[in-house]
Amino acid sequence: MNDTLNLLIGLAMGLNLLALGTSRLPVLIRAVAMQGVLLGLLPLVLEAHGLDWRLVLITLATVAGKGVLIPFMLIRAMRTANIARELEPFIGYIPSLLLGAAGTIAAVALTRYLPLLPEHAGNLHVPGAMALILTGFILLIGRTKAISQVCGYLILENGIYLAGLLLIRSTPILVEFGILLDVTVGIFVIGIIVDRIQRAFDSLDTRKLTALHE
Amino acid sequence: MPLYMDIPLRLLFWLLLAPLLPGVINKVKAWVAGRQGPPVLQLYYDLARLWRKGVVVSTLASPGFIIAPAVAWTAVVTAALLLPLAGTGTAFSFDGDVLLLVYLLALARFCTAWGAMETGSAFEGMGAAREVSFAVLAEIGIITAILTLVVQSGSIALSSMFEPLFGPGAALLAVGLFIILLAENCRVPFDDPNTHLELTMIHEVMVLDHSGPPLAMILHGASVKLLLFAVFLAQAVLPLSELPLLASVAALLVSVLLITVAVGLVESLTARLAFRRVPLLLTIGFLFCLFPLLLTWMGDL
């Protein structure tokens, strides 16, 4: 179980770096979608012995939501708002990659000193969650386009989801499901807002949204 | 095997096999493009032809123009001799010889850049500046990869350093070392070895004014360096030294061939990167080498 878990989370952490290093919006969106799918499969790995139809249903819904629905809405928002596919970062690609790598390494190194339950120590679960949250932060701070900031927010949410999976035995997964619904609705709203911002300001550069207009 | 036989045999391996690699790469490229392509042994013919030709030297050049390629070639071949070859081990080895390897490669690069600047042409100086600035980034990657091997095996001698990693660490290190191999040998995503009249070339700019035997030395040195990196990559990720002697040598040859074919495929299927993107790819290569270091350091995570 640990090997599959580490592989899935390790791949998700690799996708973090892809998201930080890419200069293309579609690649960023796909990286986030792929990460959502990888993390959506985790409940199956974590609860491999107590598998029932509800868990499978929830996994399917998570994978569909994170891997299909949200990316679809983001790509649609990108098309309707005619957003340039090249990103213009506020923090450059190389600095953000190095920051992300440093954050990942720090997350792995720090986890050793955290008081964890024995079943959570010794795998990538906790460091993965921390690394995803840090990457989300870096993307939120470092990008100027609204949609890439949404992607940062999604990676942040993936990290919180991963951290939430630690409690899979004590909290009902329904709570997690509610969060997923909120996120989906949030992305839906953002997709609409992005279109409006594009029409009102002719740009999605958040640096231009700091001054008030009539 | 006694030392007086061992070293000449290794020397023969490195010197005679190396020019085959660019030939294989060109054949793969031709095959992907649906062309006939030059013969696999083309570089041998070129070297023989260049060796018989005279040398044209710029009036500005000091003797350094001739000395630099010779020093660079010697440095690369010495560095190659330090590397163990699969099951046969090394000819000679001491603690910390891996540092000598890194420094010899740096010396070779310094001499190539020096020779380029001896011509007094601004164009060659530009090529030297580019080569050196990318080399700085590639070198971080190599040193990280070496650190990974050192942490993994607990040894700082090349002869016992190649204890292969397993699992995801090995895969990451292989990708990282492959990116560095492409960068160090001026292969396609970084530099196009076939263009000769473009402002974006790096390595070729530096050797434009060389002719005759010095050029032959530069070309041969470049092929030895390519073989060196391929052997390094193969041994870093494959458990070659654990196989019986003949099997490990055969495995080494096959994996070097596979790496060469992979280089050829990369060259045919990708375009050269825009200049400003090169540091990004080198950073990615560095990270691919950094994470195996983290994995080995953290042990059985």
Side-chain angles (χ1 to χ4, degrees):
Chain A
M1 175 194 114
N2 251 352
D3 278 345
T4 330
L5 182 79
N6 279 350
L7 184 68
L8 285 177
I9 299 178
L11 284 175
M13 286 159 94
L15 285 170
N16 274 344
L17 297 179
L18 175 64
L20 284 172
T22 182
S23 60
R24 307 213 150 242
L25 197 48
V27 177
L28 177 57
I29 293 174
R30 268 181 221 128
V32 173
M34 196 61 218
Q35 196 173 51
V37 171
L38 287 174
L39 296 182
L41 293 175
L42 274 183
L44 286 183
V45 179
L46 283 171
E47 293 292 298
H49 44 273
L51 213 56
D52 61 356
W53 63 271
R54 273 172 299 188
L55 198 62
V56 175
L57 196 69
I58 284 168
T59 309
L60 279 179
T62 316
V63 168
K66 284 182 189 284
V68 181
L69 190 60
I70 292 178
F72 170 74
M73 288 193 293
L74 282 177
I75 286 182
R76 227 194 61 175
M78 189 185 80
R79 294 228 174 97
T80 52
N82 283 325
I83 298 167
R85 280 145 181 260
E86 288 273 326
L87 301 170
E88 293 147 26
F90 186 61
I91 303 176
Y93 303 116
I94 298 175
S96 46
L97 251 183
L98 290 177
L99 269 176
T104 309
I105 292 170
V108 175
L110 282 177
T111 307
R112 293 206 149 176
Y113 304 105
L114 291 179
L116 295 175
L117 290 175
E119 66 261 34
H120 296 150
N123 60 36
L124 278 175
H125 201 144
V126 179
M130 284 183 3
L132 258 68
I133 292 173
L134 277 170
T135 310
F137 274 136
I138 295 168
L139 271 177
L140 273 171
I141 300 165
R143 298 289 184 263
T144 54
K145 292 274 176 58
I147 290 211
S148 40
Q149 287 172 342
V150 173
C151 289
Y153 167 65
L154 280 172
I155 292 183
L156 185 70
E157 202 278 327
N158 277 344
I160 296 169
Y161 166 80
L162 191 53
L165 283 182
L166 288 171
L167 305 172
I168 191 167
R169 285 189 191 85
S170 42
T171 41
I173 205 152
L174 194 66
V175 176
E176 192 51 55
F177 218 52
I179 296 173
L180 182 66
L181 187 66
D182 286 349
V183 171
T184 315
V185 173
I187 303 298
F188 196 63
V189 173
I190 288 168
I192 298 167
I193 290 177
V194 157
D195 191 36
R196 302 286 148 162
I197 296 175
Q198 172 77 13
R199 278 186 204 168
F201 293 91
D202 288 331
S203 161
L204 275 176
D205 195 331
T206 46
R207 282 173 298 188
K208 293 182 183 159
L209 303 183
T210 49
L212 282 175
H213 286 284
E214 280 290 319
Chain B
M1 202 183 290
L3 202 61
Y4 64 86
M5 268 181 67
D6 199 21
I7 292 183
L9 276 179
R10 281 167 197 281
L11 209 52
L12 277 182
F13 167 83
W14 287 103
L15 298 188
L16 290 183
L17 196 65
L20 199 62
L21 266 59
V24 172
I25 292 178
N26 282 334
K27 207 67 180 170
V28 171
K29 282 166 79 175
W31 176 69
V32 172
R35 290 181 283 118
Q36 171 95 49
V40 177
L41 300 181
Q42 184 63 46
L43 188 56
Y44 295 92
Y45 306 144
D46 285 352
L47 291 175
R49 180 171 48 85
L50 283 170
W51 195 255
R52 291 196 304 267
K53 295 215 167 184
V55 185
V56 181
V57 184
S58 154
T59 48
L60 286 169
S62 75
F65 183 69
I66 304 291
I67 296 168
V71 175
W73 182 82
T74 318
V76 170
V77 173
T78 318
L81 277 182
L82 283 174
L83 266 189
L85 286 175
T88 62
T90 40
F92 50 93
S93 166
F94 50 92
D95 266 356
D97 52 1
V98 64
L99 282 179
L100 184 62
L101 179 93
V102 172
Y103 277 111
L104 282 171
L105 290 176
L107 176 68
R109 193 191 316 276
F110 168 77
C111 283
T112 325
W114 172 33
M117 292 199 282
E118 279 291 342
T119 57
S121 142
F123 194 39
E124 304 221 357
M126 180 201 71
R130 284 174 177 175
E131 163 102 0
V132 172
S133 49
F134 291 157
V136 171
L137 294 170
E139 212 153 69
I140 302 174
I142 301 179
I143 291 173
T144 320
I146 288 173
L147 267 180
T148 310
L149 296 174
V150 167
V151 171
Q152 164 78 12
S153 63
S155 141
I156 47 169
L158 278 167
S159 55
S160 46
M161 228 174 71
F162 291 108
E163 259 179 32
L165 307 147
F166 288 105
L172 289 174
L173 193 67
V175 176
L177 278 174
F178 188 70
I179 293 177
I180 289 166
L181 179 147
L182 293 175
E184 280 278 332
N185 294 291
C186 304
R187 288 286 149 189
V188 149
F190 300 95
D191 184 10
D192 195 339
N194 288 334
T195 54
H196 268 286
L197 271 178
E198 260 185 279
L199 285 172
T200 50
M201 57 189 179
I202 304 168
H203 188 73
E204 281 63 42
V205 173
M206 299 203 297
V207 303
L208 267 185
D209 284 347
H210 286 83
S211 53
L215 182 57
M217 266 181 173
I218 288 173
L219 291 179
H220 188 257
S223 66
V224 172
K225 196 174 168 190
L226 181 59
L227 181 59
L228 188 157
F229 272 90
V231 167
F232 191 95
L233 168 55
Q235 297 196 101
V237 296
L238 296 176
L240 292 176
S241 51
E242 288 158 19
L243 298 170
L245 182 66
L246 275 178
S248 71
V249 172
L252 179 68
L253 289 177
V254 169
S255 47
V256 164
L257 183 69
L258 284 180
I259 292 167
T260 319
V261 171
V263 172
L265 287 176
V266 167
E267 292 215 356
S268 337
L269 302 177
T270 59
R272 194 185 48 227
L273 278 179
F275 235 32
R276 62 201 159 84
R277 295 228 194 282
V278 168
L280 181 66
L281 187 55
L282 282 173
T283 312
I284 293 169
F286 161 63
L287 289 180
F288 268 116
C289 292
L290 184 67
F291 281 99
L293 179 61
L294 183 70
L295 281 174
T296 47
W297 175 49
M298 283 292 161
D300 53 335
L301 195 68

